[in-house]
Amino acid sequence: MTTVSLPTNCAPVRPQRLLRQAWAFNWPLTLTILINLAFIPILLAAMLLDPKLISGVNGWIKPFKFSLSIAIYATSFLWLLTLVQGRRRWVQTAANLTALALTTELVLIVL
């Protein structure tokens, strides 16, 4: 049996530190992530409080699913963009356009 040990200099990951780094890297995409994460419990409450059905399905399920998927996608995309070497302007442009498109999409779905 082999034992695996962590390096002694391995520091715990702090959410505040990750958030500061993400904000410094690209604040519009980070803001999109935070808005969607904050929106998820609001949409869950709306599903419970508003029994309106559309074709037999709760009317708030689609915005909930989109908000959850946008948060996951934007987080993954932001992380992947940090791995790109060079091309800083292209990376920032891709992140900003993605943030704008995802936010616009969610607003249109909720309306």
Short mmCIF file of all heavy atoms in Angstrom, two decimals, residues 3-73:
data_model
loop_
_atom_site.label_atom_id
_atom_site.label_comp_id
_atom_site.label_asym_id
_atom_site.label_seq_id
_atom_site.Cartn_x
_atom_site.Cartn_y
_atom_site.Cartn_z
N THR A 3 1.40 5.39 0.36
CA THR A 3 0.81 6.55 1.06
C THR A 3 1.11 7.81 0.25
O THR A 3 2.19 7.96 -0.29
CB THR A 3 1.45 6.73 2.45
OG1 THR A 3 2.28 5.66 2.75
CG2 THR A 3 0.43 6.86 3.50
N VAL A 4 0.12 8.66 0.20
CA VAL A 4 0.27 9.93 -0.50
C VAL A 4 0.26 11.03 0.55
O VAL A 4 -0.61 11.07 1.40
CB VAL A 4 -0.88 10.15 -1.51
CG1 VAL A 4 -0.77 11.50 -2.18
CG2 VAL A 4 -0.90 9.04 -2.52
N SER A 5 1.24 11.88 0.50
CA SER A 5 1.27 12.99 1.46
C SER A 5 1.30 14.31 0.69
O SER A 5 1.86 14.42 -0.38
CB SER A 5 2.50 12.89 2.36
OG SER A 5 3.67 12.96 1.59
N LEU A 6 0.65 15.29 1.28
CA LEU A 6 0.61 16.62 0.68
C LEU A 6 1.91 17.34 0.98
O LEU A 6 2.55 17.10 2.00
CB LEU A 6 -0.56 17.42 1.27
CG LEU A 6 -1.95 16.93 0.90
CD1 LEU A 6 -2.99 17.73 1.67
CD2 LEU A 6 -2.18 17.07 -0.58
N PRO A 7 2.30 18.23 0.10
CA PRO A 7 3.49 19.03 0.38
C PRO A 7 3.29 19.86 1.64
O PRO A 7 2.17 20.27 1.96
CB PRO A 7 3.62 19.94 -0.85
CG PRO A 7 2.70 19.41 -1.87
CD PRO A 7 1.71 18.53 -1.18
N THR A 8 4.34 20.11 2.34
CA THR A 8 4.23 20.85 3.60
C THR A 8 3.89 22.32 3.38
O THR A 8 3.37 22.98 4.26
CB THR A 8 5.54 20.75 4.39
OG1 THR A 8 6.61 21.21 3.57
CG2 THR A 8 5.79 19.34 4.85
N ASN A 9 4.17 22.86 2.21
CA ASN A 9 3.87 24.26 1.95
C ASN A 9 2.50 24.48 1.30
O ASN A 9 2.22 25.53 0.78
CB ASN A 9 4.96 24.87 1.05
CG ASN A 9 5.02 24.21 -0.31
OD1 ASN A 9 4.34 23.22 -0.55
ND2 ASN A 9 5.83 24.74 -1.19
N CYS A 10 1.65 23.49 1.33
CA CYS A 10 0.32 23.56 0.72
C CYS A 10 -0.62 24.33 1.66
O CYS A 10 -1.02 23.83 2.70
CB CYS A 10 -0.21 22.15 0.46
SG CYS A 10 -1.74 22.13 -0.44
N ALA A 11 -0.97 25.54 1.27
CA ALA A 11 -1.84 26.38 2.09
C ALA A 11 -3.30 26.12 1.72
O ALA A 11 -3.61 25.82 0.57
CB ALA A 11 -1.50 27.85 1.87
N PRO A 12 -4.22 26.24 2.70
CA PRO A 12 -5.63 26.05 2.38
C PRO A 12 -6.13 27.17 1.47
O PRO A 12 -5.65 28.30 1.52
CB PRO A 12 -6.32 26.12 3.75
CG PRO A 12 -5.36 26.82 4.64
CD PRO A 12 -4.00 26.56 4.10
N VAL A 13 -7.09 26.82 0.63
CA VAL A 13 -7.66 27.78 -0.31
C VAL A 13 -8.74 28.58 0.43
O VAL A 13 -9.65 28.01 1.01
CB VAL A 13 -8.27 27.07 -1.53
CG1 VAL A 13 -8.91 28.06 -2.47
CG2 VAL A 13 -7.21 26.25 -2.24
N ARG A 14 -8.62 29.88 0.38
CA ARG A 14 -9.60 30.75 1.04
C ARG A 14 -10.49 31.37 -0.03
O ARG A 14 -10.00 31.93 -1.02
CB ARG A 14 -8.89 31.83 1.83
CG ARG A 14 -8.14 31.26 3.00
CD ARG A 14 -7.83 32.34 4.00
NE ARG A 14 -7.34 31.74 5.22
CZ ARG A 14 -6.06 31.52 5.49
NH1 ARG A 14 -5.15 31.85 4.60
NH2 ARG A 14 -5.70 30.99 6.63
N PRO A 15 -11.82 31.29 0.16
CA PRO A 15 -12.74 31.84 -0.85
C PRO A 15 -12.53 33.34 -1.10
O PRO A 15 -12.65 33.79 -2.23
CB PRO A 15 -14.13 31.58 -0.26
CG PRO A 15 -13.93 30.47 0.71
CD PRO A 15 -12.54 30.60 1.23
N GLN A 16 -12.21 34.11 -0.05
CA GLN A 16 -12.01 35.55 -0.23
C GLN A 16 -10.81 35.81 -1.15
O GLN A 16 -10.83 36.71 -1.97
CB GLN A 16 -11.75 36.25 1.11
CG GLN A 16 -12.91 36.18 2.06
CD GLN A 16 -12.87 34.93 2.94
OE1 GLN A 16 -12.00 34.08 2.80
NE2 GLN A 16 -13.83 34.81 3.83
N ARG A 17 -9.77 35.01 -0.99
CA ARG A 17 -8.58 35.17 -1.83
C ARG A 17 -8.91 34.83 -3.29
O ARG A 17 -8.52 35.55 -4.20
CB ARG A 17 -7.47 34.26 -1.31
CG ARG A 17 -6.20 34.38 -2.10
CD ARG A 17 -5.08 33.59 -1.46
NE ARG A 17 -4.01 33.47 -2.41
CZ ARG A 17 -3.35 32.35 -2.66
NH1 ARG A 17 -3.65 31.26 -2.01
NH2 ARG A 17 -2.39 32.32 -3.54
N LEU A 18 -9.64 33.74 -3.49
CA LEU A 18 -10.03 33.37 -4.86
C LEU A 18 -10.90 34.44 -5.49
O LEU A 18 -10.75 34.77 -6.67
CB LEU A 18 -10.78 32.04 -4.85
CG LEU A 18 -9.95 30.79 -4.62
CD1 LEU A 18 -10.86 29.57 -4.54
CD2 LEU A 18 -8.92 30.61 -5.71
N LEU A 19 -11.82 35.00 -4.70
CA LEU A 19 -12.71 36.04 -5.22
C LEU A 19 -11.91 37.28 -5.59
O LEU A 19 -12.14 37.88 -6.65
CB LEU A 19 -13.79 36.38 -4.18
CG LEU A 19 -14.81 37.42 -4.59
CD1 LEU A 19 -15.54 36.99 -5.85
CD2 LEU A 19 -15.78 37.68 -3.47
N ARG A 20 -10.96 37.69 -4.76
CA ARG A 20 -10.11 38.85 -5.08
C ARG A 20 -9.30 38.60 -6.35
O ARG A 20 -9.17 39.49 -7.20
CB ARG A 20 -9.18 39.17 -3.91
CG ARG A 20 -9.83 40.02 -2.85
CD ARG A 20 -8.80 40.60 -1.91
NE ARG A 20 -7.96 39.60 -1.26
CZ ARG A 20 -8.24 38.99 -0.13
NH1 ARG A 20 -9.36 39.28 0.51
NH2 ARG A 20 -7.42 38.10 0.39
N GLN A 21 -8.76 37.40 -6.49
CA GLN A 21 -7.97 37.09 -7.69
C GLN A 21 -8.85 37.09 -8.93
O GLN A 21 -8.46 37.59 -9.99
CB GLN A 21 -7.30 35.73 -7.53
CG GLN A 21 -6.15 35.74 -6.56
CD GLN A 21 -5.59 34.34 -6.35
OE1 GLN A 21 -6.24 33.33 -6.61
NE2 GLN A 21 -4.35 34.29 -5.86
N ALA A 22 -10.05 36.51 -8.82
CA ALA A 22 -10.97 36.48 -9.97
C ALA A 22 -11.39 37.90 -10.34
O ALA A 22 -11.44 38.24 -11.53
CB ALA A 22 -12.19 35.62 -9.64
N TRP A 23 -11.68 38.73 -9.34
CA TRP A 23 -12.10 40.11 -9.58
C TRP A 23 -10.98 40.89 -10.27
O TRP A 23 -11.22 41.66 -11.19
CB TRP A 23 -12.51 40.77 -8.27
CG TRP A 23 -13.20 42.09 -8.47
CD1 TRP A 23 -12.60 43.31 -8.52
CD2 TRP A 23 -14.59 42.31 -8.67
NE1 TRP A 23 -13.56 44.28 -8.73
CE2 TRP A 23 -14.78 43.69 -8.82
CE3 TRP A 23 -15.70 41.45 -8.72
CZ2 TRP A 23 -16.03 44.26 -9.02
CZ3 TRP A 23 -16.94 42.02 -8.92
CH2 TRP A 23 -17.10 43.40 -9.07
N ALA A 24 -9.75 40.68 -9.81
CA ALA A 24 -8.60 41.37 -10.41
C ALA A 24 -8.36 40.89 -11.83
O ALA A 24 -7.95 41.67 -12.70
CB ALA A 24 -7.35 41.15 -9.55
N PHE A 25 -8.62 39.62 -12.10
CA PHE A 25 -8.40 39.08 -13.44
C PHE A 25 -9.42 39.63 -14.42
O PHE A 25 -9.06 40.10 -15.50
CB PHE A 25 -8.44 37.55 -13.41
CG PHE A 25 -8.15 36.94 -14.74
CD1 PHE A 25 -6.85 36.88 -15.21
CD2 PHE A 25 -9.16 36.43 -15.53
CE1 PHE A 25 -6.56 36.33 -16.45
CE2 PHE A 25 -8.90 35.87 -16.76
CZ PHE A 25 -7.59 35.81 -17.22
N ASN A 26 -10.72 39.56 -14.07
CA ASN A 26 -11.77 40.09 -14.93
C ASN A 26 -13.03 40.31 -14.10
O ASN A 26 -13.75 39.36 -13.79
CB ASN A 26 -12.06 39.15 -16.11
CG ASN A 26 -13.03 39.78 -17.09
OD1 ASN A 26 -14.23 39.64 -16.92
ND2 ASN A 26 -12.51 40.48 -18.07
N TRP A 27 -13.29 41.55 -13.75
CA TRP A 27 -14.42 41.84 -12.87
C TRP A 27 -15.79 41.63 -13.52
O TRP A 27 -16.72 41.20 -12.84
CB TRP A 27 -14.30 43.22 -12.23
CG TRP A 27 -14.47 44.37 -13.16
CD1 TRP A 27 -13.50 45.06 -13.80
CD2 TRP A 27 -15.71 44.97 -13.54
NE1 TRP A 27 -14.05 46.04 -14.57
CE2 TRP A 27 -15.40 46.02 -14.43
CE3 TRP A 27 -17.04 44.73 -13.23
CZ2 TRP A 27 -16.38 46.81 -15.01
CZ3 TRP A 27 -18.01 45.52 -13.80
CH2 TRP A 27 -17.68 46.56 -14.68
N PRO A 28 -16.01 41.89 -14.83
CA PRO A 28 -17.35 41.66 -15.37
C PRO A 28 -17.78 40.19 -15.31
O PRO A 28 -18.92 39.88 -14.95
CB PRO A 28 -17.25 42.15 -16.82
CG PRO A 28 -16.13 43.13 -16.82
CD PRO A 28 -15.15 42.58 -15.84
N LEU A 29 -16.87 39.28 -15.64
CA LEU A 29 -17.22 37.86 -15.59
C LEU A 29 -17.40 37.39 -14.15
O LEU A 29 -18.31 36.61 -13.85
CB LEU A 29 -16.16 37.03 -16.32
CG LEU A 29 -16.54 35.59 -16.65
CD1 LEU A 29 -17.84 35.51 -17.44
CD2 LEU A 29 -15.42 34.91 -17.43
N THR A 30 -16.59 37.91 -13.25
CA THR A 30 -16.73 37.57 -11.83
C THR A 30 -18.06 38.09 -11.30
O THR A 30 -18.75 37.39 -10.54
CB THR A 30 -15.56 38.15 -11.02
OG1 THR A 30 -14.33 37.68 -11.57
CG2 THR A 30 -15.65 37.73 -9.56
N LEU A 31 -18.44 39.30 -11.70
CA LEU A 31 -19.73 39.86 -11.28
C LEU A 31 -20.89 39.02 -11.82
O LEU A 31 -21.87 38.78 -11.11
CB LEU A 31 -19.85 41.31 -11.75
CG LEU A 31 -21.10 42.06 -11.32
CD1 LEU A 31 -21.17 42.15 -9.80
CD2 LEU A 31 -21.11 43.44 -11.94
N THR A 32 -20.77 38.55 -13.04
CA THR A 32 -21.80 37.68 -13.63
C THR A 32 -21.96 36.41 -12.79
O THR A 32 -23.08 35.97 -12.52
CB THR A 32 -21.42 37.32 -15.08
OG1 THR A 32 -21.32 38.52 -15.84
CG2 THR A 32 -22.44 36.39 -15.71
N ILE A 33 -20.84 35.83 -12.37
CA ILE A 33 -20.88 34.64 -11.53
C ILE A 33 -21.59 34.94 -10.21
O ILE A 33 -22.49 34.20 -9.78
CB ILE A 33 -19.46 34.10 -11.28
CG1 ILE A 33 -18.82 33.61 -12.58
CG2 ILE A 33 -19.47 32.99 -10.24
CD1 ILE A 33 -17.32 33.39 -12.50
N LEU A 34 -21.19 36.03 -9.57
CA LEU A 34 -21.77 36.38 -8.27
C LEU A 34 -23.26 36.68 -8.36
O LEU A 34 -24.05 36.26 -7.49
CB LEU A 34 -21.02 37.57 -7.67
CG LEU A 34 -19.57 37.32 -7.29
CD1 LEU A 34 -18.90 38.61 -6.85
CD2 LEU A 34 -19.48 36.26 -6.20
N ILE A 35 -23.67 37.39 -9.40
CA ILE A 35 -25.09 37.69 -9.59
C ILE A 35 -25.90 36.41 -9.76
O ILE A 35 -26.96 36.24 -9.16
CB ILE A 35 -25.30 38.64 -10.79
CG1 ILE A 35 -24.80 40.04 -10.43
CG2 ILE A 35 -26.75 38.67 -11.24
CD1 ILE A 35 -24.75 40.99 -11.61
N ASN A 36 -25.40 35.49 -10.56
CA ASN A 36 -26.11 34.24 -10.78
C ASN A 36 -26.16 33.39 -9.52
O ASN A 36 -27.16 32.75 -9.24
CB ASN A 36 -25.51 33.47 -11.95
CG ASN A 36 -26.00 34.01 -13.27
OD1 ASN A 36 -27.11 33.75 -13.67
ND2 ASN A 36 -25.17 34.81 -13.92
N LEU A 37 -25.07 33.36 -8.76
CA LEU A 37 -25.07 32.61 -7.51
C LEU A 37 -26.06 33.22 -6.50
O LEU A 37 -26.74 32.49 -5.78
CB LEU A 37 -23.67 32.56 -6.90
CG LEU A 37 -22.67 31.67 -7.64
CD1 LEU A 37 -21.28 31.80 -7.00
CD2 LEU A 37 -23.11 30.22 -7.65
N ALA A 38 -26.16 34.54 -6.48
CA ALA A 38 -27.12 35.20 -5.59
C ALA A 38 -28.55 35.00 -6.07
O ALA A 38 -29.49 34.98 -5.27
CB ALA A 38 -26.79 36.68 -5.50
N PHE A 39 -28.73 34.86 -7.36
CA PHE A 39 -30.05 34.72 -7.95
C PHE A 39 -30.66 33.33 -7.72
O PHE A 39 -31.88 33.18 -7.70
CB PHE A 39 -29.94 35.02 -9.45
CG PHE A 39 -31.18 35.55 -10.08
CD1 PHE A 39 -31.98 36.46 -9.43
CD2 PHE A 39 -31.56 35.14 -11.34
CE1 PHE A 39 -33.14 36.95 -10.01
CE2 PHE A 39 -32.70 35.61 -11.95
CZ PHE A 39 -33.50 36.53 -11.27
N ILE A 40 -29.81 32.32 -7.54
CA ILE A 40 -30.29 30.94 -7.38
C ILE A 40 -31.26 30.78 -6.20
O ILE A 40 -32.36 30.25 -6.37
CB ILE A 40 -29.10 29.95 -7.32
CG1 ILE A 40 -28.46 29.86 -8.70
CG2 ILE A 40 -29.54 28.57 -6.84
CD1 ILE A 40 -27.15 29.10 -8.74
N PRO A 41 -30.92 31.23 -4.98
CA PRO A 41 -31.89 31.08 -3.89
C PRO A 41 -33.17 31.90 -4.10
O PRO A 41 -34.25 31.49 -3.68
CB PRO A 41 -31.14 31.55 -2.64
CG PRO A 41 -29.85 32.06 -3.07
CD PRO A 41 -29.65 31.75 -4.51
N ILE A 42 -33.05 33.04 -4.78
CA ILE A 42 -34.23 33.84 -5.06
C ILE A 42 -35.17 33.07 -5.99
O ILE A 42 -36.39 33.04 -5.79
CB ILE A 42 -33.82 35.20 -5.68
CG1 ILE A 42 -33.04 36.03 -4.66
CG2 ILE A 42 -35.04 35.95 -6.21
CD1 ILE A 42 -32.36 37.25 -5.24
N LEU A 43 -34.60 32.42 -6.99
CA LEU A 43 -35.42 31.64 -7.92
C LEU A 43 -36.01 30.40 -7.25
O LEU A 43 -37.14 30.00 -7.55
CB LEU A 43 -34.60 31.25 -9.15
CG LEU A 43 -34.26 32.43 -10.07
CD1 LEU A 43 -33.22 32.02 -11.10
CD2 LEU A 43 -35.50 32.96 -10.74
N LEU A 44 -35.27 29.80 -6.33
CA LEU A 44 -35.82 28.67 -5.57
C LEU A 44 -37.02 29.12 -4.75
O LEU A 44 -38.05 28.42 -4.70
CB LEU A 44 -34.75 28.06 -4.67
CG LEU A 44 -33.73 27.15 -5.35
CD1 LEU A 44 -32.61 26.79 -4.38
CD2 LEU A 44 -34.40 25.90 -5.87
N ALA A 45 -36.90 30.28 -4.11
CA ALA A 45 -38.03 30.82 -3.34
C ALA A 45 -39.21 31.13 -4.26
O ALA A 45 -40.36 30.86 -3.91
CB ALA A 45 -37.59 32.07 -2.59
N ALA A 46 -38.93 31.68 -5.43
CA ALA A 46 -40.00 31.98 -6.38
C ALA A 46 -40.72 30.71 -6.82
O ALA A 46 -41.94 30.71 -6.99
CB ALA A 46 -39.43 32.72 -7.59
N MET A 47 -39.97 29.62 -7.00
CA MET A 47 -40.61 28.35 -7.38
C MET A 47 -41.55 27.86 -6.29
O MET A 47 -42.61 27.31 -6.59
CB MET A 47 -39.54 27.28 -7.65
CG MET A 47 -38.90 27.41 -9.00
SD MET A 47 -37.93 25.96 -9.47
CE MET A 47 -36.50 26.14 -8.46
N LEU A 48 -41.18 28.08 -5.04
CA LEU A 48 -42.03 27.63 -3.94
C LEU A 48 -43.22 28.54 -3.71
O LEU A 48 -44.31 28.08 -3.36
CB LEU A 48 -41.20 27.54 -2.65
CG LEU A 48 -40.09 26.48 -2.66
CD1 LEU A 48 -39.24 26.62 -1.40
CD2 LEU A 48 -40.68 25.09 -2.76
N LEU A 49 -43.02 29.85 -3.90
CA LEU A 49 -44.07 30.82 -3.59
C LEU A 49 -45.04 31.09 -4.74
O LEU A 49 -46.17 31.50 -4.51
CB LEU A 49 -43.44 32.14 -3.14
CG LEU A 49 -42.58 32.05 -1.87
CD1 LEU A 49 -41.88 33.37 -1.61
CD2 LEU A 49 -43.44 31.64 -0.69
N ASP A 50 -44.59 30.88 -5.97
CA ASP A 50 -45.43 31.15 -7.13
C ASP A 50 -45.76 29.83 -7.83
O ASP A 50 -44.93 29.26 -8.52
CB ASP A 50 -44.69 32.08 -8.10
CG ASP A 50 -45.56 32.50 -9.28
OD1 ASP A 50 -46.78 32.25 -9.25
OD2 ASP A 50 -45.01 33.11 -10.21
N PRO A 51 -46.97 29.33 -7.65
CA PRO A 51 -47.32 28.02 -8.20
C PRO A 51 -47.70 28.04 -9.69
O PRO A 51 -48.21 27.05 -10.20
CB PRO A 51 -48.53 27.61 -7.35
CG PRO A 51 -49.17 28.91 -7.01
CD PRO A 51 -48.05 29.91 -6.86
N LYS A 52 -47.42 29.14 -10.38
CA LYS A 52 -47.81 29.25 -11.79
C LYS A 52 -47.15 28.15 -12.62
O LYS A 52 -45.95 27.92 -12.54
CB LYS A 52 -47.38 30.61 -12.33
CG LYS A 52 -47.74 30.83 -13.77
CD LYS A 52 -47.27 32.15 -14.36
CE LYS A 52 -46.53 33.03 -13.42
NZ LYS A 52 -45.98 34.23 -14.02
N LEU A 53 -47.97 27.44 -13.40
CA LEU A 53 -47.47 26.38 -14.26
C LEU A 53 -47.55 26.80 -15.73
O LEU A 53 -48.51 27.43 -16.15
CB LEU A 53 -48.27 25.09 -14.07
CG LEU A 53 -48.25 24.46 -12.68
CD1 LEU A 53 -49.14 23.23 -12.65
CD2 LEU A 53 -46.84 24.11 -12.28
N ILE A 54 -46.53 26.44 -16.47
CA ILE A 54 -46.51 26.68 -17.91
C ILE A 54 -46.30 25.31 -18.55
O ILE A 54 -45.26 24.69 -18.36
CB ILE A 54 -45.38 27.65 -18.30
CG1 ILE A 54 -45.56 28.98 -17.59
CG2 ILE A 54 -45.33 27.82 -19.81
CD1 ILE A 54 -44.39 29.93 -17.72
N SER A 55 -47.30 24.83 -19.26
CA SER A 55 -47.28 23.50 -19.86
C SER A 55 -47.00 22.42 -18.80
O SER A 55 -46.25 21.47 -19.04
CB SER A 55 -46.24 23.42 -20.98
OG SER A 55 -46.57 24.30 -22.01
N GLY A 56 -47.56 22.60 -17.61
CA GLY A 56 -47.43 21.61 -16.55
C GLY A 56 -46.13 21.68 -15.77
O GLY A 56 -45.87 20.82 -14.93
N VAL A 57 -45.31 22.70 -16.01
CA VAL A 57 -44.03 22.84 -15.33
C VAL A 57 -43.99 24.20 -14.65
O VAL A 57 -44.50 25.19 -15.19
CB VAL A 57 -42.85 22.72 -16.33
CG1 VAL A 57 -41.52 22.88 -15.64
CG2 VAL A 57 -42.92 21.39 -17.07
N ASN A 58 -43.39 24.25 -13.47
CA ASN A 58 -43.26 25.51 -12.74
C ASN A 58 -42.59 26.55 -13.64
O ASN A 58 -41.58 26.27 -14.29
CB ASN A 58 -42.43 25.29 -11.47
CG ASN A 58 -42.45 26.50 -10.57
OD1 ASN A 58 -42.00 27.57 -10.94
ND2 ASN A 58 -43.00 26.32 -9.38
N GLY A 59 -43.14 27.75 -13.66
CA GLY A 59 -42.65 28.81 -14.54
C GLY A 59 -41.26 29.33 -14.19
O GLY A 59 -40.62 29.99 -15.00
N TRP A 60 -40.78 29.04 -12.98
CA TRP A 60 -39.47 29.54 -12.55
C TRP A 60 -38.36 28.52 -12.75
O TRP A 60 -37.19 28.82 -12.47
CB TRP A 60 -39.53 29.97 -11.09
CG TRP A 60 -40.40 31.16 -10.91
CD1 TRP A 60 -41.67 31.17 -10.42
CD2 TRP A 60 -40.07 32.51 -11.25
NE1 TRP A 60 -42.17 32.45 -10.43
CE2 TRP A 60 -41.20 33.29 -10.93
CE3 TRP A 60 -38.96 33.13 -11.79
CZ2 TRP A 60 -41.24 34.67 -11.14
CZ3 TRP A 60 -38.99 34.50 -11.99
CH2 TRP A 60 -40.11 35.24 -11.66
N ILE A 61 -38.68 27.34 -13.24
CA ILE A 61 -37.66 26.30 -13.38
C ILE A 61 -36.64 26.65 -14.48
O ILE A 61 -35.44 26.40 -14.32
CB ILE A 61 -38.28 24.91 -13.62
CG1 ILE A 61 -37.25 23.80 -13.43
CG2 ILE A 61 -38.89 24.79 -14.99
CD1 ILE A 61 -36.90 23.54 -12.01
N LYS A 62 -37.12 27.24 -15.58
CA LYS A 62 -36.19 27.57 -16.67
C LYS A 62 -35.19 28.65 -16.25
O LYS A 62 -33.98 28.47 -16.46
CB LYS A 62 -36.96 27.99 -17.92
CG LYS A 62 -36.05 28.20 -19.12
CD LYS A 62 -36.86 28.44 -20.37
CE LYS A 62 -35.93 28.57 -21.57
NZ LYS A 62 -36.67 28.65 -22.82
N PRO A 63 -35.63 29.77 -15.64
CA PRO A 63 -34.63 30.74 -15.18
C PRO A 63 -33.68 30.14 -14.13
O PRO A 63 -32.48 30.46 -14.13
CB PRO A 63 -35.46 31.86 -14.56
CG PRO A 63 -36.79 31.74 -15.18
CD PRO A 63 -36.98 30.29 -15.47
N PHE A 64 -34.19 29.25 -13.28
CA PHE A 64 -33.33 28.60 -12.28
C PHE A 64 -32.24 27.76 -12.95
O PHE A 64 -31.06 27.87 -12.61
CB PHE A 64 -34.17 27.72 -11.34
CG PHE A 64 -33.34 26.86 -10.45
CD1 PHE A 64 -32.68 27.39 -9.35
CD2 PHE A 64 -33.18 25.51 -10.71
CE1 PHE A 64 -31.89 26.60 -8.53
CE2 PHE A 64 -32.41 24.70 -9.90
CZ PHE A 64 -31.76 25.25 -8.80
N LYS A 65 -32.65 26.95 -13.91
CA LYS A 65 -31.67 26.11 -14.61
C LYS A 65 -30.64 26.95 -15.36
O LYS A 65 -29.46 26.63 -15.35
CB LYS A 65 -32.39 25.17 -15.59
CG LYS A 65 -33.14 24.04 -14.95
CD LYS A 65 -33.81 23.20 -16.03
CE LYS A 65 -34.57 22.05 -15.48
NZ LYS A 65 -35.19 21.25 -16.55
N PHE A 66 -31.10 28.00 -16.00
CA PHE A 66 -30.16 28.86 -16.72
C PHE A 66 -29.20 29.56 -15.77
O PHE A 66 -28.01 29.67 -16.04
CB PHE A 66 -30.91 29.88 -17.58
CG PHE A 66 -31.15 29.40 -18.97
CD1 PHE A 66 -32.27 28.65 -19.28
CD2 PHE A 66 -30.26 29.70 -19.99
CE1 PHE A 66 -32.50 28.19 -20.56
CE2 PHE A 66 -30.47 29.25 -21.28
CZ PHE A 66 -31.59 28.49 -21.57
N SER A 67 -29.72 30.05 -14.65
CA SER A 67 -28.86 30.73 -13.68
C SER A 67 -27.79 29.78 -13.13
O SER A 67 -26.62 30.15 -13.01
CB SER A 67 -29.70 31.30 -12.54
OG SER A 67 -28.93 32.10 -11.70
N LEU A 68 -28.19 28.58 -12.82
CA LEU A 68 -27.24 27.58 -12.32
C LEU A 68 -26.21 27.24 -13.39
O LEU A 68 -25.00 27.21 -13.11
CB LEU A 68 -28.00 26.33 -11.88
CG LEU A 68 -27.18 25.20 -11.27
CD1 LEU A 68 -26.49 25.68 -10.00
CD2 LEU A 68 -28.07 24.00 -11.00
N SER A 69 -26.66 27.01 -14.61
CA SER A 69 -25.71 26.64 -15.67
C SER A 69 -24.80 27.81 -16.04
O SER A 69 -23.61 27.60 -16.34
CB SER A 69 -26.45 26.11 -16.90
OG SER A 69 -27.21 27.13 -17.50
N ILE A 70 -25.31 29.03 -16.00
CA ILE A 70 -24.46 30.20 -16.28
C ILE A 70 -23.38 30.34 -15.22
O ILE A 70 -22.22 30.62 -15.54
CB ILE A 70 -25.32 31.48 -16.39
CG1 ILE A 70 -26.09 31.47 -17.71
CG2 ILE A 70 -24.46 32.73 -16.27
CD1 ILE A 70 -27.12 32.59 -17.83
N ALA A 71 -23.74 30.13 -13.96
CA ALA A 71 -22.75 30.23 -12.88
C ALA A 71 -21.65 29.19 -13.07
O ALA A 71 -20.46 29.48 -12.93
CB ALA A 71 -23.42 30.07 -11.52
N ILE A 72 -22.03 27.97 -13.40
CA ILE A 72 -21.05 26.90 -13.60
C ILE A 72 -20.18 27.18 -14.83
O ILE A 72 -18.96 27.08 -14.78
CB ILE A 72 -21.75 25.53 -13.72
CG1 ILE A 72 -22.39 25.15 -12.38
CG2 ILE A 72 -20.77 24.45 -14.19
CD1 ILE A 72 -23.33 23.96 -12.46
N TYR A 73 -20.83 27.56 -15.93
CA TYR A 73 -20.08 27.82 -17.17
C TYR A 73 -19.13 29.00 -16.99
O TYR A 73 -17.95 28.93 -17.39
CB TYR A 73 -21.04 28.11 -18.33
CG TYR A 73 -20.32 28.53 -19.58
CD1 TYR A 73 -19.71 27.58 -20.39
CD2 TYR A 73 -20.21 29.87 -19.93
CE1 TYR A 73 -19.02 27.96 -21.53
CE2 TYR A 73 -19.51 30.25 -21.06
CZ TYR A 73 -18.92 29.30 -21.85
OH TYR A 73 -18.23 29.68 -22.97
#
